[in-house]
Amino acid sequence: MNIIGPDLLIFGVDDVEACKQFALDYGLTQASEHRFVALDGTGIDIYSKDDSCLPAPLETGSSIRKTIYGVADTATVDAIYDELSKDREVKRLDDGSIEAVDDMGFVLGFQVTMRKPLDMPAEKINAPGAPAQRPANETGVSKDFTPEPRTLSHVVYFVPDYKKAEAFYAERLGFITTDRFSHVGPFMRPAGTTDHHTLFFLNTPPHMKGIEHFTFHMSGPTTVVQAGNRMVEKGYQSFWGPGRHIFGSNWFWYFKSPFGCNMEFDADMDLHDDNWDAREALPGADNSQVFLLQYREKWAPMGPPPPKG
Amino acid sequence: MNQGVLLCKLDDLPDNSSRGFLPDAQGQDTVFIVRRGSKLYGYSDVCPHYGDTALPWKKDVYLDAGGDYIVCAAHGALFTPDTGECVKGPCRGDFLTPLKITVTAEQDVVLLCESRGKEQ
Ligand code: FES
Ligand SMILES: [Fe+2]
C-alpha cells in the first residue's frame, strides 16, 4: 500500500480561538476557517468539540477526531477500500476520500495526498573535514526568525493494546515497524515514506485512549530550538525538551497545548528502507534521548561584577 | 504564627480566574490558585500523571474554556477545582496536591509554608 504519511489531523477542541492562535504561533499558516497548514499543505483542522460535522469522538473524549492519510494515487485509495471493506464499513466521501475506523476506534481517512513537493535546503552546517555546506560569507543564523513547519511528521496515540494496533497497521495497511520500546509499542512508517516513524503507540489503560502528541518537521535542529524558544517567549510552556531522541534520531521540543495533547517540533529524523532490522529497547529516560536540555532566559557573561549598592 | 509567602492581593484574583505563582528556574510556576467566589483553592502545579510536569499550556491558564475544570494541557486531564480530583484523563482518581492558602485582614493572599511538601 503506497501510503505516504499523515496529510491532516482533525481536532474537536474545547477552546477554538486558543487553538487557532496556538497554531499560528507554532508557525502554521491559516488556509481556511478551520485549516492550518505547513509549507507542503499538510496540516490540522480545528473545530469546536461540539461541531456536528465531526466524526464521533472516542469514548474517552480525546480531541483527535480523524487522521487522514495521504496516499500516492486513486488506485491506492481503491486498494485500501477493498482491503478494509472485508470486515468493516468503509464510506466513500464526496471529496473522493474514504473513511473507516481502525481496530482501536480511531477514525481514519485516506485520500490522494494533498501535499505539495517541497524543494528547499535543509539547515546547513559546516564541519572541518567536510565540504562546506555554507560557503564563505553565508551566515548560519539570524535573530529574525519565522518558524516554518515543513510537513506533518507524525502522530502518537495512547492505545490499550499495542499488539492489536500494530497488527492492524502492519497487516491491513502495510505499515512497517522500524523500532520498538518493549511492552510499550512500535514506531511505524507506512510503505510510501522512509521517515523513521509517522506513527507511534504507547500502551496505556483503556481510559487514556487518544492522541498523545503530534509534530511537524522543521528544517533542522536550530529551527526546532529557535521555534521552541519563540514559543516560550510568547508565554507557552514547555513539556519536554529540547533534546534529541535515540530511536529516529530526531531533535524534539514538546509543548503543552490547548489541543488537549502535546504539540512537538521535530527535525532531522532517520530514514529507513526495507534493509533495516527493527531494534528493541526498554522504555525509560535513558533510552528516550541522547540528551535533554532546558530553557533559560537569554543571558550573557559580560563585563565586571555589578557595582556594590 | 505560620510562616507564609505573600502571593498577591485578593483583588488580583478575579472570580473564576486562575493564576500561577513562584516560578522555578525555567520560569514555570510551581503553585497555582483558582478562585471561586469567596473561596480560594491552591495546589502544587504538578500533574499526577507523571508527577513531574506542570499543568498549563500558557502562564495562568489552568481552567478549561467554560471555567468548570482545572486542565492539564499535556494530555487533557480534568480536575475538579474544589477537591483537586482528576475526573477525566490519564490520572483519573488521583488528586492534585492541595496547599493551604489564607487571606489576611489586609487582603493579602498568603501561602502557608507548612502546607508545602507535606507529602514527604
Ligand atoms: S501530564 Fe498531565 S495529563 Fe499527562
Ligand atoms: Fe514525537
Side-chain angles (χ1 to χ4, degrees):
Chain A
M1 300 271 188
N2 199 347
I3 299 172
I4 296 164
D7 265 9
L8 191 65
L9 303 176
I10 301 179
F11 288 91
V13 302
D14 178 48
D15 189 338
V16 170
E17 288 318 308
C19 288
K20 288 183 173 178
Q21 188 59 50
F22 190 95
L24 292 172
D25 288 334
Y26 177 95
L28 301 179
T29 302
Q30 183 157 16
S32 63
E33 185 188 350
H34 299 286
R35 184 157 303 175
F36 293 75
V37 297
L39 293 184
D40 74 343
T42 58
I44 56 177
D45 276 1
I46 301 169
Y47 290 90
S48 164
K49 62 183 189 306
D50 304 317
D51 198 306
S52 59
C53 79
L54 292 174
L58 291 166
E59 61 277 16
T60 57
S62 177
S63 60
I64 185 76
R65 300 295 274 270
K66 185 173 178 179
T67 303
I68 299 181
Y69 284 95
V71 309
D73 45 34
T74 51
T76 306
V77 176
D78 292 340
I80 296 167
Y81 181 92
D82 292 343
E83 172 59 33
L84 295 183
S85 295
K86 287 176 187 166
D87 64 350
R88 70 199 69 209
E89 184 195 1
V90 185
K91 291 182 201 153
R92 279 199 189 272
L93 306 185
D94 292 343
D95 61 6
S97 71
I98 59 173
E99 182 179 296
V101 179
D102 78 5
D103 282 355
M104 275 65 53
F106 291 88
V107 178
L108 303 182
F110 300 91
Q111 65 183 15
V112 176
T113 188
M114 63 188 192
R115 71 193 62 206
K116 298 174 291 228
L118 293 180
D119 182 11
M120 51 187 64
E123 186 179 310
K124 298 180 200 167
I125 64 165
N126 288 336
Q133 292 182 4
R134 289 197 321 278
N137 307 321
E138 185 179 326
T139 56
V141 289
S142 165
K143 278 205 289 184
D144 297 323
F145 170 74
T146 307
E148 291 188 320
R150 293 194 172 186
T151 187
L152 183 55
S153 165
H154 60 270
V155 59
V156 174
Y157 299 141
F158 288 131
V159 295
D161 183 347
Y162 76 87
K163 288 184 184 155
K164 188 171 155 191
E166 181 176 14
F168 174 82
Y169 283 88
E171 291 161 19
R172 308 302 298 281
L173 297 173
F175 280 53
I176 298 136
T177 295
T178 47
D179 284 321
R180 68 175 65 248
F181 281 127
S182 312
H183 320 298
V184 167
F187 295 86
M188 303 187 86
R189 66 174 177 90
T193 183
T194 49
D195 261 5
H196 176 268
H197 62 282
T198 68
L199 185 61
F200 175 53
F201 297 113
L202 286 156
N203 211 66
T204 43
H207 74 268
M208 290 174 65
K209 190 166 72 178
I211 186 168
E212 198 282 328
H213 76 265
F214 63 104
T215 314
F216 289 81
H217 283 313
M218 306 297 286
S219 65
T222 307
T223 45
V224 167
V225 178
Q226 232 172 343
N229 202 72
R230 197 166 158 277
M231 292 294 276
V232 176
E233 286 171 355
K234 284 178 178 283
Y236 297 111
Q237 302 225 339
S238 168
F239 179 72
W240 182 22
R244 191 168 192 183
H245 284 310
I246 298 175
F247 282 171
S249 300
N250 43 308
W251 290 73
F252 64 84
W253 197 344
Y254 298 82
F255 284 81
K256 291 169 284 181
S257 84
F259 290 88
C261 64
N262 289 304
M263 190 169 181
E264 181 194 1
F265 297 99
D266 93 66
D268 197 11
M269 184 181 267
D270 292 333
L271 306 179
H272 294 290
D273 61 16
D274 294 342
N275 299 314
W276 173 254
D277 293 320
R279 299 167 295 183
E280 177 158 350
L282 292 171
D286 201 44
N287 287 334
S288 289
Q289 56 226 317
V290 276
F291 52 76
L292 175 62
L293 311 173
Q294 228 153 11
Y295 174 83
R296 179 176 180 180
E297 205 175 313
K298 283 179 191 158
W299 174 86
M302 287 253 266
K308 302 270 180 307
Chain B
M1 253 294 279
N2 281 307
Q3 281 296 102
V5 181
L6 173 64
L7 298 180
C8 62
K9 288 283 187 188
L10 187 60
D11 281 353
D12 298 333
L13 296 170
D15 197 9
N16 291 318
S17 72
S18 62
R19 186 159 159 196
F21 302 94
L22 307 182
D24 63 13
Q26 276 79 50
Q28 298 204 351
D29 291 324
T30 56
V31 305
F32 68 96
I33 291 179
V34 173
R35 178 170 181 178
R36 283 288 176 86
S38 61
K39 290 226 159 73
L40 300 182
Y41 302 100
Y43 297 101
S44 284
D45 189 354
V46 177
C47 179
H49 177 193
Y50 295 124
D52 198 25
T53 57
L55 277 73
W57 57 273
K58 192 165 194 171
K59 179 164 169 49
D60 298 336
V61 185
Y62 292 86
L63 295 172
D64 65 353
D68 299 319
Y69 294 99
I70 295 167
V71 182
C72 175
H75 308 114
L78 299 182
F79 305 84
T80 51
D82 52 344
T83 67
E85 182 179 8
C86 178
V87 292
K88 184 172 167 291
C91 38
R92 204 173 61 187
D94 289 344
F95 287 82
L96 296 168
T97 303
L99 302 173
K100 284 212 173 60
I101 304 289
T102 193
V103 181
T104 67
E106 295 77 35
Q107 303 288 289
D108 287 339
V109 177
V110 173
L111 169 70
L112 299 180
C113 289
E114 62 171 21
S115 69
R116 296 193 73 191
K118 68 173 187 173
E119 303 255 294
Q120 284 139 33

